[in-house]
Amino acid sequence: MSEQFNLTLEQTSLLIFDWDGTLAKCDGNLINDVKETLQPLHAGGFILAIATSMSSQRLMELLKENDVRELFSHEQTSEMGFAKPDPKMLDAVLLSTGTEADKAIMIGDSSFDIQMATDARIKAFGVLTGCNTAEQFASVQPLLILESINDLLNYLSV
């Protein structure tokens, strides 16, 4: 990963996150310092969204419990029509937020997340806080592999 890699709002305006393994641990609680990463991204003008396989009801409960509901402009769950790794799941997020695919990044912890983004023509970052290792990400070639989303602030101009 190059420290010179730095995306601005003009280049990227939408950040789409997986929930489990990316933003939160298996118990539903946020990974350490995730809220402190999301807040400046939101305040800096990035549109934040979630694309997850969990139910809408459970996701809403977790967003409220973790006090981050107001940070997200859109939540896309598989029960809303398309499940991972169908790229139409991300197409729905793009449509809802009015964002072009080339202005979005999907951030996820699994090869399914990265493959879904690639199929939807969206840039993809992998994170190592969930189910995949760097070696497992090699086959789907994310643009970046981060230790956690807390590293995003090193690559996005806020």
Side-chain angles (χ1 to χ4, degrees), residues 32-150:
N32 292 340
D33 300 323
V34 163
K35 187 174 180 181
E36 291 75 16
T37 295
L38 295 173
Q39 288 171 328
L41 292 170
H42 180 262
F46 287 95
I47 300 166
L48 307 181
I50 294 174
T52 182
S53 297
M54 72 173 42
S55 74
S56 297
Q57 180 180 348
R58 181 66 180 141
L59 178 61
M60 286 301 131
E61 290 168 0
L62 292 170
L63 289 171
K64 289 176 186 169
E65 287 172 19
N66 287 286
D67 193 30
V68 292
R69 172 63 195 97
E70 73 284 352
L71 299 177
F72 295 96
S73 298
H74 183 79
E75 299 83 26
Q76 188 71 32
T77 64
S78 56
E79 68 188 21
M80 298 169 86
F82 304 102
K84 291 180 183 181
D86 190 330
K88 291 177 186 163
M89 181 181 238
L90 296 180
D91 291 341
V93 177
L94 295 173
L95 183 62
S96 172
T97 61
T99 307
E100 297 295 322
D102 65 343
K103 301 272 187 179
I105 298 174
M106 173 72 199
I107 301 106
D109 70 309
S110 76
S111 298
F112 280 136
D113 296 323
I114 306 308
Q115 189 60 56
M116 178 175 65
T118 300
D119 292 347
R121 303 163 324 281
I122 293 175
K123 293 180 283 294
F125 291 179
V127 292
L128 299 176
T129 49
C131 63
N132 273 58
T133 64
E135 294 78 25
Q136 290 168 314
F137 277 129
S139 66
V140 290
Q141 301 178 337
L143 189 57
L144 283 174
I145 299 174
L146 308 170
E147 289 295 321
S148 80
I149 71 148
N150 299 327

